[in-house]
Amino acid sequence: MFGRAIAVAAILIAGTAPALAKRVALVMGNSAYENAVQLPNPANDARAMTTKLRDLGFEVVSGYDLDYTAMRRTVAQFAKEARGADVALFFYAGHGMQVQGQNYLIPVDARFSDETALDFETISADFILRQMSNNVKVRMVFLDACRDNPLARTLARSMSPTRSAAIGVGLAEIKIEETGGEGSVIAFATSPGDVALDGEGSNSPFTTALLRHIDAPDTPIQNVMTRVTGDVYRETGQRQRPWVNASLIGEVYLNKTASTAAADGAQVAALGAQPTSETPAATPTPVNVIAWEREKATWDAAQKGGTVADYEAYLASYPNGNFADFARNSIARLQAGEPKGGMTRQQGAADKVAAVAVSADAPVSDPDAGSEATEAALGWSKATRVEVQARLNLAGYNVGRPDGAFGQNTRSGIRAWQTANGLPATGWFNAAQHALLTSQTQAQYLAYVAELQRQQAAAAATRSAARTPQPAAAPEPQRRAPQRAVPAEDTGGGVGGAAGAAFLGGVVGGIIGGAIGR
């Protein structure tokens, strides 16, 4: 009974608030193939999935249009980050193929001039799955890689007729036992051996449905995939049916609210497990705090701007948002009296990025691209630069210890953050980008500051206790050994101990080791 309780508790931890569970994702999308027809959507699919997963509390290792070397380097980084994760998730969009029942993912520089390409120009799916088996509780794999693949035909032509027959259409079924057994979800864009559609929009049918449902509140991943399958089947005219193979010993949630978390905590208790600081019952924290902060910042910026275009920029990002009705009412009032010559209705992506700004005091000539001049115009103090570095670390872009000096590591982290958010990767901030980073990391940063203050107060109390003279003890037959002061980190209270390390990503003495949840 106790063993099963622990197993269920492990599954439930996967559904807790992002700050309490270690969630790591590998997201790759390849579109710009050099020796085959380019695919319009995979890179878009991967970028959209990166944003969605970060909103759900995942630390995301991502890459787009990767050659063989970059693909292996990205997988290696993920392997390090995924060690001991509560949830490890892998999403890939692009060309893939099966040979003799094994699946291979194809970098953008693959040529396939002969059959040695399988070893030296592709990445085996099994190789990536092995990286997800190192003390990982729940593994999720989403492969949108079943597209019609001309490189497979190129490889087949270079092989003997008997060996070329081993090259199959689409992807081969991945058996659950190959992923480590219980605690696994495998999903293909279509059935094994079939070809999936790339789609006519900016995302494939499978990724569109996955983005639509993966963050459904209080919905087990099994139900999420049922909805995804139904949407794809209907929207492709019954030509494509996603394939899902799962082996879970409990329900896994990616977006769990406080009420469901408390109920799950009661289930753990009923099975005989004691609630801990990592179980939902002890910490009914709402998830998706980052997404809420981002929406609120966008709404605040719309109100500050006060024009029709500002409110429409908010509605473009949040058509069903918490402030959508207020935005529409404001637009109606402004249109009744707003003079001609105001901002137009057609605004590009730059206006949407600028709309996130909480403070737009600094002049920005181009809201999309940052430069040395736009960053200098912000007039940051050393304290502000330290804060920016801390926020980059919390967002998952390790720039080292925050010291206020923007060296090579910091510039690389800025470029990686900009790339993940669809911005020009200049390595320099402007006002709008700084505001976007602030809104994305506000919840984690407040928790980080609170923990630093707690640690400083605990250290001060320990020093004070050590300086206070102790009264002479009365003679005793056997004098007890003096008690040492126990640092707050050793008591298990607050966010100290193992849970605190998971919560703050190894923050000790102001050093940020990574994003919240690492």
Side-chain angles (χ1 to χ4, degrees):
M1 175 68 77
F2 182 76
R4 176 162 174 77
I6 294 299
V8 174
I11 293 294
L12 293 179
I13 290 173
T16 62
L20 299 176
K22 181 178 179 180
R23 300 175 169 198
V24 184
L26 170 62
V27 177
M28 297 187 292
N30 289 338
S31 288
Y33 284 93
E34 300 170 5
N35 302 296
V37 177
Q38 297 190 359
L39 297 172
N41 289 333
N44 295 336
D45 295 340
R47 288 189 175 93
M49 189 58 64
T50 293
T51 300
K52 180 71 70 173
L53 291 175
R54 286 201 172 116
D55 286 345
L56 286 170
F58 279 84
E59 178 182 357
V60 182
V61 177
S62 59
Y64 319 108
D65 293 329
L66 302 174
D67 61 20
Y68 176 79
T69 301
M71 209 164 171
R72 287 192 65 91
R73 184 170 59 244
T74 303
V75 174
Q77 181 184 351
F78 167 73
K80 295 177 182 178
E81 304 295 343
R83 188 186 304 271
D86 296 298
V87 180
L89 185 151
F90 172 43
F91 174 89
Y92 172 78
H95 276 317
M97 61 187 299
Q98 61 162 306
V99 179
Q100 294 182 329
Q102 298 296 313
N103 294 314
Y104 299 88
L105 310 181
I106 304 177
V108 296
D109 60 344
R111 292 182 178 276
F112 285 3
S113 56
D114 59 55
E115 59 187 281
T116 63
L118 285 177
D119 293 326
F120 300 104
E121 296 181 18
T122 69
I123 305 294
S124 167
D126 288 346
F127 169 72
I128 298 177
L129 293 176
R130 286 198 300 273
Q131 315 312 314
M132 304 173 69
S133 302
N134 198 340
N135 193 26
V136 174
K137 297 181 177 70
V138 177
R139 295 160 292 277
M140 298 184 183
V141 178
F142 303 92
L143 297 180
D144 197 353
C146 311
R147 296 163 169 86
D148 183 31
N149 183 5
L151 288 171
R153 294 189 289 273
T154 301
L155 177 62
R157 286 193 295 269
S158 70
M159 301 170 68
S160 66
T162 55
R163 291 182 58 80
S164 65
I167 300 177
V169 177
L171 296 180
E173 177 181 351
I174 297 178
K175 294 180 172 56
I176 285 294
E177 56 266 27
E178 296 173 355
T179 70
E182 290 185 332
S184 298
V185 177
I186 310 265
F188 287 1
T190 191
S191 300
D194 286 347
V195 174
L197 302 174
D198 195 59
E200 298 178 354
S202 59
N203 298 112
S204 75
F206 176 74
T207 299
T208 297
L210 189 59
L211 290 169
R212 183 184 301 141
H213 295 294
I214 196 170
D215 60 352
D218 299 334
T219 305
I221 190 64
Q222 298 94 319
N223 294 2
V224 167
M225 295 315 301
T226 298
R227 297 175 186 178
V228 170
T229 299
D231 282 7
V232 174
Y233 189 63
R234 287 189 300 271
E235 293 170 8
T236 59
Q238 303 181 1
R239 290 178 293 169
Q240 180 176 332
R241 183 196 298 272
W243 175 84
V244 181
N245 192 6
S247 176
L248 299 173
I249 59 176
E251 293 181 331
V252 176
Y253 299 82
L254 293 184
N255 188 358
K256 180 180 292 184
T257 61
S259 59
T260 303
D264 287 341
Q267 179 185 0
V268 173
L271 288 169
Q274 296 298 317
T276 70
S277 61
E278 291 186 345
T279 59
T283 320
T285 307
V287 298
N288 256 358
V289 175
I290 304 172
W292 159 252
E293 293 288 346
R294 183 181 297 177
E295 181 184 351
K296 183 63 166 59
T298 307
W299 170 247
D300 289 344
Q303 283 190 305
K304 183 175 182 179
T307 67
V308 169
D310 290 320
Y311 289 114
E312 287 181 339
Y314 166 81
L315 289 173
S317 297
Y318 303 99
N320 300 309
N322 294 278
F323 309 99
D325 290 339
F326 296 102
R328 294 186 181 95
N329 291 339
S330 298
I331 289 173
R333 287 195 299 269
L334 289 168
Q335 287 178 334
E338 188 174 69
K340 293 183 179 180
M343 294 181 71
T344 63
R345 297 172 62 92
Q346 287 76 27
Q347 291 194 332
D351 299 294
K352 293 180 183 178
V353 173
V356 186
V358 188
S359 172
D361 297 331
V364 181
S365 59
D366 182 356
D368 238 355
S371 66
E372 185 174 0
T374 62
E375 189 174 292
L378 298 175
W380 285 342
S381 64
K382 181 178 179 179
T384 302
R385 295 168 75 87
V386 168
E387 177 184 329
V388 168
Q389 290 173 317
R391 290 182 182 275
L392 286 167
N393 280 335
L394 292 167
Y397 305 91
N398 187 4
V399 300
R401 177 171 182 163
D403 58 5
F406 281 19
Q408 181 178 354
N409 286 345
T410 299
R411 294 301 173 193
S412 297
I414 295 171
R415 283 192 292 270
W417 175 84
Q418 289 169 329
T419 299
N421 286 274
L423 300 167
T426 63
W428 301 85
F429 275 108
N430 59 26
Q433 292 177 15
H434 178 218
L436 178 59
L437 174 66
T438 299
S439 70
Q440 289 176 341
T441 58
Q442 188 65 3
Q444 302 104 309
Y445 185 74
L446 292 176
Y448 159 68
V449 171
E451 171 62 7
L452 286 184
Q453 292 173 344
R454 187 194 69 78
Q455 291 185 6
Q456 291 166 358
T462 301
R463 290 193 298 270
S464 177
R467 289 194 299 266
T468 303
Q470 300 297 320
E476 297 178 1
Q478 273 190 321
R479 184 165 298 177
R480 297 158 67 183
Q483 299 293 316
R484 71 176 181 89
V486 180
E489 290 79 6
D490 293 339
T491 66
V495 275
F503 180 67
L504 287 174
V507 176
V508 178
I511 302 176
I512 306 174
I516 290 290
R518 288 185 58 185

